[in-house]
Each structure stands twice: as structure tokens, then as C-alpha cells.
Amino acid sequence: MPSPPAQVIPRNKSFGASARSLGTLGRQHLREASEALFYSLRTEDEDSVSSKFLLGFLERAGLRVADDVRFARLAEKLDGVADVPLTREDFIGATEQGIGLIKKVAENELSVPNFAALKEAIEEVYDKVLPNRSGENAGYIPELRDADPEKFGISVCTVDGQQFSIGDADDPFCIQQSCSKPLSYLLALSEFGTDYVHGSVGLEPSGRAFNELVLKDVSVPGSGMKHSIPHNPMINAGAMMTCSMVYPELTRQERLEKVIDYWKELSGGIGDCIGYSSDTYKSESGSADQNWCLAYMMKEFNAFPECFNQREDYKEALEDTLELYFSICSIMNTCRGMSVMGASLANGGLNPFTGKRLATSQHVRNVLPLMLSSGMYDYSGRWSFDVGVPAKSGVGGCVFLVVPNVCGISIFSPRLDENGNSVRGVAVATELCKLLKIHNFEVFSSLARTKIDLRTPKYADEAKELSAILFAASNGDVGALNTYYNAGSDLTQKDYDGRTALHLAATEGRLHAVAYLIRKCPPEFLNLRDRWGTTALECARHFGHTDCADALTEAGCEEDDDNSQFMDFDGSFIDLHHGEKSNEAPLLLMAARDGDLDEAIKMHSTVDVGVRDYDSRSALHLAACEGHLHILKYIAINFEGDVARFIRAHDRWGNSAIDDAKRYGHVGCVEYLQGLLNSSGSTL
């Protein structure tokens, strides 16, 4: 028999209460928050945190500790160490630099709390789209024509710096004209402001090709006169116009260097991913007749702003503007770097790694709707309809998406469709939108779940819907059940113990709810058996609800006492009040069922580990049923109360956690729990 766990060191504050004081009351509270996190992250019986578990805990949340500047001290301390027990002081010292971010992980407050679900969705879509080899490389310059058409990568970066990449995500490519356009527009806004910029470039989709020789007639404010300007900053004419406002007081070389520095800052925090291709610049500059035509056309129609017109030599000003435009097209980036840039925009202009503000949130807010309405060439309307996320594509094969306040996503694949967009890029975004709630106009009825909400923790949507249905059935709330049914919720779904709404309604004697479920659910639903092999009819009979039993029998529900494992219970239920019943309980119990220690830790910040569900089942019961010893240990360590009393507590059927462990033959769990009882002098 294993030795009982070491005594838990008393704490004056719960994990959640201490952690929430972080950043508000100074260094003492910073230490309190660190201590609270330390206690919450102990996964064994010792007074230490496993360094291996800590790193895994962060990396499973999408945080790349080894190359994340925010974890430099932690990475340095644990570099080359397989595993080491971190004492309280070791933990506080190693995590001081990144304690705020660790707190967000542990409290389920990252922008994408269930990062594993996003990762799995991207992997699924990557595998699905990979065989698609339709389309052709852009052929107007050698650098694009000769690019490897098989290259394919996807990267995501959240506003908290969670990252995942697959495929050729670190291979450099030229951003080309169009992927640079939102950033040139953003620089112009930063330099001169919204009103000034939009005196020379419009806001409307053009409905024409991105390089067509066409401008939009507008009135000059206060003059009664008209002039012609580009329709928006996302087409060639508009991008050249915004380039004319990018650091206009500097020399051409100085302007380019400043732009490259800006790209480095936006994509920074993951190493040096920004480069420059002189060959691409020469090819772009040497094949630019139509762009020169557009430039002279804008000059002829007085489109350029004052900062351009004040130059004495307009030909030199035109040349500087266009050559800067071609140079920006030749900046090199990677799929991973583009996702960080997208995340910086999603974060309102703040780089998620460095924390540096690179644009005002208002200016970013100006950029995003134009990306949505005009960012995908002549496909922009269909893109808004199908995907509904601000995005920009380029003929080099990159498409990057900005999901506001959540993440940036970048896809790279050189083969283009007839609109000039990456075939795989469009396909990836379309498939992701089928799996994820990222469309700006996504609407869902009530609790029905059809897609993954990136903003909600693991189990949250499932538990919310399931809890609502089962609690409604348990309370006989037919109106609520009808609402869920009309919203598309599946009333036949089962919980972690195989219990359905019909089981709960029959157990509680809710005849009207039983009758409603009989009418609305398929016949096979009537005979579903729970963990103990019990049907709803057997529940009704066992608890003396004759009217419910008669209704179920009449509907065709079968009864087989030999299959039921709880019918020998004599009714001597001992309620030890080990925790409150709550509709939040299923969240923790689902984690216990799956042996998901990460989620159990995260829930501990807000949910009492002793909480019970509608059947008085606790996480201890579920972990014992499934044989998850590591979950039993964690719950026992973090239960703030009489652990022996907690272990002895009965569920609705009179079973303790030890009873559950014995029933399913989990000897290690039985020995551990019995050891805790023995050490406390208690018995069942």
C-alpha cells in the first residue's frame, strides 16, 4: 500500500483569490499569487512542482516556452533538464518573469483556452486540403513562377502568443504587393490620421480588377470641386496612394528600412523571420507599366495628398512612391511570422510577445473592415459570405486572416485560382469556418453546439448544454426542455455516467418531463442504460415513482433487474454534505472522466473540487470509476476540508469513491483512497 500523501500546507487564500490580486497590490501579492499557483500545480503528494509537468502544461496550452521571450528566465533555468522537482522558492524564482501568463493558463483565461481543439482542427483541415493541387503559380515574374508549387503551410498565433504551425510554415516567401497593403495603409494612418488619408483614397469595394485603370469620383470637402481617387487601400492604386504617405520626409532607402523595421516589430518575438529579396524587387520594378499608368492617372486627377504635392519634382516623387511600393512587395516573411503579424492586428496593434504598441486600436479597427470588404480581390464578396473574417491575399500564395481579439492565421501555398488567391489558402479558410465559430456573423440558437467556439474552455459548451438539459429534466421543467429541443439540442445525449434526461426525470418522478421526452425522442432512447446498466424504467421503479414507470412501460421501455448494478442498495444513504450541488459540476467531472489533469487544474481556480452534480456524484467518484489515480491525487491534495469525509461521501446510489474503484477493479485507486482514510483514522 502506498504511503499517504504529505500534509497539505495551509493557505490563507484560495488559488483563485490569490491569483486575482496579481498586478494590483505590488510585490507581496505577486508572491502570494506565485505561491497559490505553486500549490495548485502540485500534481503528486510532495511539496514540489514537476518541472516536466509545468513545461508540458504551458506547451499544451500553445505556449512555446523554449523560444518565447516572455519565458526567458524559465527556459534558461530548465534548459537541458529532463525533470526536476521545483520547491516553492524554486518555482517562485523561475516563474517570476512569466507569472501573469502562467496565471492566465491556470485560470482558463487565455484567448483560446482549449488550444488543443484549434490545433486538431488545423491538422484535420491541413490533411484534407493537402491533396488539392489545382491552380497555377503566378507567372508574371520569375521568382513567383519558379516557386515550389508543393509548398504548403498553416500557422496560427493568438493574441496571447499561443502558437501552432504545420507544413512549410518556416520557409520564407515574398509577401508581394497585396499582403503588404493593409500594413502600408496602417502606416499612413499612423503618420497622418484617418481624415487626411481618406481625402486621397476611398473606402468602397471597386467591383473591378485589383490593377484596373479606374478611379472613383469624389467631392473635395469645402471646395465644391471634384477629383478622382482610388476606391480603397487594398487595390494597387490605393496601395500606391498609401505608400506616398509612408514616411514621406525620408529618403527612399530610409523609408524602406523603416518599413522593414515595422514588419519586424509586427512579426517579432519568434526569431528573425523578416528578409528582403533584391531579385523580386528588380522583377517587380521591371514589369510595372500598368502600375506606372495608374500612378500618372492619379497624378492627372489630383488624387495625391499634400505631402506628395509639396515635392517640387513630381516625377521624382512618383518614382520614389512606386519604387517604395515595389520594394515593400519584396519583403520576405514566413507563414509563422505572418500569423504573428495577424495576431498583432487582432490584438489591437499590440505585439503579443513583446507587448509593444505598433498601432492604435482605432487605426487597426479601420484596417479590418476594408480587409473584409476588399481584401480578397474579386472574390471578396464570396469570402465575406463564406468565411466572414478580415483577410488579405497576395499573388505570392499567402493568405492571412485576422480574427479580432482572438488570433491571426496564415496560410501559404503558391498555386493561385482565377482570382489570384491561393487555392489552398481559400480552401483552408473555408474548411476551418465549417469547424470553428470564426465567421463575424455566426449565429447559433440557444445551447445547440455545431462548431467549436475558440473563446470557451474545453468541456464548457458540452457541459453547459448537457447540464441545462439534465437539470431541466431533473426539475421537471418541460418549458425549458421544449426550448432546447426547438433550438436543435439533442435531448438524448448522455453524461459521463451514461445518464440521460429520461433517467433524471424518471429518478425524480417528473411525469410531465418523462411524457415529453417519450414524445420527442426516438424509441431506442427509452432503453438506454447508464454506467450501472440501468434504464429509466428501473430508476422510476426503484425510487417508487409508479406513474412514471407506468408511462415508460406503456411506451415500450424494457426492464431487466439482472443488468442493474445498484438495485441491491437498501436506501441507507449517508449524505455527508461534502460539496454543493451545482450545474458547474459536470465541467470538472468530465475532466475527471477523461483523466484530463490540465483541465482539472484550470477549473480549480473557479470550481470547488468537491462540487457535486444532480446525482451527488463528485470528481472523486468519476476518477475512481475510470481508474485515474493522478486525478484522485490532485483532488485529494486540493480539497479544502475533511478529506476523509469527502472520500466517504455517497452519491445518489449510496456509493463512495472507494466503492466505485472496487467495482471496476482499480486496485491502485482503492489502495490510495484507503491509505488516506487509514492515515486520518477514519473508515468507511
Side-chain angles (χ1 to χ4, degrees):
M1 180 181 297
S3 59
Q7 183 179 359
V8 177
I9 298 175
R11 287 174 281 165
N12 293 327
K13 295 184 178 181
S14 68
F15 162 49
S18 281
R20 278 188 287 275
S21 68
L22 180 62
T24 60
L25 295 176
R27 192 167 186 81
Q28 177 59 34
H29 288 285
L30 178 65
R31 182 178 178 85
E32 289 180 8
S34 299
E35 289 179 347
L37 281 167
F38 167 77
Y39 289 123
S40 185
L41 290 169
R42 292 177 308 155
T43 57
E44 295 294 331
D45 299 334
E46 306 164 15
D47 190 22
S48 65
V49 170
S50 161
S51 64
K52 181 178 180 180
F53 176 80
L54 174 61
L55 292 177
F57 181 66
L58 297 175
E59 289 171 2
R60 286 187 294 275
L63 300 172
R64 295 159 52 94
V65 176
D67 57 4
D68 191 323
V69 295
R70 299 168 297 177
F71 290 116
R73 184 176 301 175
L74 180 63
E76 180 182 3
K77 183 174 180 64
L78 301 181
D79 183 38
V81 177
D83 193 12
V84 62
L86 298 172
T87 66
R88 181 172 56 179
E89 294 306 315
D90 289 337
F91 179 87
I92 292 172
T95 60
E96 183 178 3
Q97 181 186 19
I99 190 65
L101 198 53
I102 298 174
K103 168 187 174 288
K104 291 186 76 171
V105 178
E107 292 190 345
N108 245 345
E109 291 183 352
L110 290 176
S111 54
V112 181
N114 186 10
F115 194 75
L118 174 57
K119 177 176 176 289
E120 289 170 7
I122 291 173
E123 289 172 330
E124 177 183 335
V125 168
Y126 178 87
D127 290 339
K128 184 173 183 177
V129 173
L130 180 61
N132 187 341
R133 290 178 169 80
S134 59
E136 296 180 355
N137 287 22
Y140 73 95
I141 60 173
E143 288 72 24
L144 299 184
R145 182 189 64 229
D146 298 337
D148 184 354
E150 294 299 325
K151 293 291 185 182
F152 180 31
I154 307 174
S155 290
V156 61
C157 179
T158 74
V159 297
D160 285 315
Q162 301 160 272
Q163 294 184 80
F164 174 68
S165 295
I166 190 170
D168 304 308
D170 292 313
D171 289 10
F173 56 84
C174 276
I175 60 172
Q176 293 305 317
Q177 298 166 352
S178 287
C179 279
S180 69
K181 289 169 182 173
L183 278 299
S184 296
Y185 173 49
L186 192 58
L187 282 169
L189 290 174
S190 299
E191 188 84 0
F192 290 101
T194 303
D195 291 342
Y196 185 95
V197 170
H198 286 292
S200 296
V201 61
L203 297 164
E204 308 298 333
S206 69
R208 313 290 281 271
F210 67 94
N211 60 351
E212 192 166 341
L213 298 172
V214 61
L215 298 174
K216 174 183 173 66
D217 292 335
V218 296
S219 298
V220 179
S223 69
M225 301 175 60
K226 288 191 173 184
H227 69 155
S228 299
I229 62 175
H231 285 77
N232 64 72
M234 303 301 152
I235 56 177
N236 284 15
M240 286 186 278
M241 185 61 66
T242 58
C243 276
S244 75
M245 299 179 239
V246 173
Y247 311 122
E249 74 282 1
L250 303 179
T251 66
R252 186 188 305 173
Q253 183 60 33
E254 289 172 337
R255 294 169 80 181
L256 176 60
E257 289 173 357
K258 291 270 284 183
V259 171
I260 290 176
D261 287 343
Y262 189 66
W263 272 83
K264 287 180 178 179
E265 290 180 322
L266 277 170
S267 305
I270 59 167
D272 189 9
C273 61
I274 301 297
Y276 183 77
S277 171
S278 297
D279 290 340
T280 301
Y281 161 71
K282 292 174 183 176
S283 295
E284 288 282 0
S285 181
S287 58
D289 290 347
Q290 188 151 356
N291 284 326
W292 276 101
C293 285
L294 277 169
Y296 274 107
M297 184 177 174
M298 290 188 289
K299 172 61 181 170
E300 173 67 19
F301 286 97
N302 300 312
F304 283 102
E306 181 61 29
C307 65
F308 176 94
N309 292 326
Q310 66 187 10
R311 297 274 297 271
E312 292 183 2
D313 187 338
Y314 79 87
K315 291 185 178 180
E316 182 181 69
L318 275 180
E319 182 178 353
D320 284 350
T321 295
L322 266 73
E323 294 305 327
L324 175 63
Y325 175 63
F326 304 143
S327 296
I328 292 174
C329 296
S330 308
I331 293 174
M332 305 284 289
N333 205 343
T334 65
C335 206
R336 193 188 304 274
M338 291 295 290
S339 72
V340 176
M341 186 268 292
S344 297
L345 297 184
N347 202 27
L350 284 172
N351 182 294
F353 296 100
T354 65
K356 185 173 182 179
R357 176 162 292 285
L358 301 166
T360 68
S361 57
Q362 181 59 45
H363 287 161
V364 174
R365 177 246 174 267
N366 291 349
V367 171
L368 297 185
L370 292 179
M371 290 175 63
L372 179 61
S373 66
S374 308
M376 296 295 290
Y377 302 130
D378 292 346
Y379 191 75
S380 294
R382 185 57 186 261
W383 175 275
S384 297
F385 187 85
D386 288 342
V387 181
V389 174
K392 194 71 194 77
S393 69
V395 293
C398 179
V399 178
F400 76 91
L401 292 70
V402 178
V403 184
N405 305 307
V406 179
C407 66
I409 302 172
S410 175
I411 309 109
F412 171 62
S413 182
R415 292 191 184 97
L416 308 180
D417 60 21
E418 65 276 10
N419 295 305
N421 297 316
S422 168
V423 171
R424 284 172 169 165
V426 172
V428 166
T430 303
E431 292 299 324
L432 282 176
C433 209
K434 295 176 183 178
L435 301 176
L436 309 174
K437 294 181 183 179
I438 57 174
H439 196 295
N440 274 329
F441 304 103
E442 203 82 75
V443 177
F444 293 91
S445 300
S446 186
L447 299 171
R449 295 173 292 110
T450 57
K451 298 182 182 181
I452 298 168
D453 188 342
L454 295 179
R455 299 166 181 82
T456 60
K458 184 177 181 180
Y459 303 119
D461 284 343
E462 177 188 359
K464 183 178 181 181
E465 182 178 29
L466 181 63
S467 295
I469 292 170
L470 296 191
F471 270 94
S474 181
N475 292 317
D477 190 344
V478 175
L481 289 173
N482 191 54
T483 297
Y484 304 147
Y485 177 82
N486 289 334
S489 292
D490 178 9
L491 300 184
T492 70
Q493 58 189 288
K494 300 183 289 186
D495 72 1
Y496 31 78
D497 282 324
R499 303 274 283 166
T500 67
L502 193 59
H503 282 96
L504 269 293
T507 297
E508 298 291 348
R510 309 299 186 184
L511 178 60
H512 293 300
V514 168
Y516 178 84
L517 292 167
I518 289 172
R519 291 197 309 272
K520 294 295 185 181
C521 298
E524 58 270 21
F525 173 62
L526 303 180
N527 292 306
L528 292 179
R529 295 185 178 275
D530 61 20
R531 180 190 293 277
W532 301 276
T534 306
T535 65
L537 173 56
E538 290 159 356
C539 289
R541 292 206 189 284
H542 182 76
F543 288 98
H545 304 305
T546 307
D547 51 354
C548 292
D550 290 344
L552 289 163
T553 301
E554 183 178 346
C557 190
E558 300 171 359
E559 185 173 14
D560 182 3
D561 288 355
D562 292 338
N563 257 339
S564 177
Q565 298 177 28
F566 75 84
M567 288 304 170
D568 57 348
F569 173 48
D570 63 6
S572 56
F573 175 71
I574 304 173
D575 186 358
L576 297 178
H577 302 292
H578 61 280
E580 294 295 326
K581 286 187 178 182
S582 169
N583 58 6
E584 291 186 333
L587 279 168
L588 184 59
L589 272 63
M590 287 174 180
R593 170 199 62 193
D594 295 343
D596 194 332
L597 183 55
D598 287 357
E599 289 305 308
I601 289 171
K602 295 172 187 177
M603 292 172 200
H604 176 39
S605 66
T606 56
V607 178
D608 176 8
V609 293
V611 71
R612 300 181 293 170
D613 73 357
Y614 31 76
D615 283 329
S616 291
R617 303 274 285 168
S618 72
L620 211 61
H621 285 97
L622 267 293
C625 279
E626 302 295 340
H628 296 313
L629 181 58
H630 62 298
I631 299 292
L632 289 179
K633 290 182 177 181
Y634 184 78
I635 294 170
I637 289 171
N638 288 280
F639 180 73
E640 296 184 356
D642 187 338
V643 174
R645 188 177 181 85
F646 183 27
I647 294 170
R648 294 173 58 227
H650 290 165
D651 60 17
R652 184 196 293 272
W653 323 117
N655 296 312
S656 69
I658 292 182
D659 294 330
D660 283 335
K662 287 179 178 178
R663 178 182 298 110
Y664 293 100
H666 301 307
V667 177
C669 294
V670 174
E671 291 179 345
Y672 176 75
L673 293 172
Q674 191 62 60
L676 289 175
L677 290 179
N678 293 343
S679 67
S680 69
S682 179
T683 60
L684 283 176

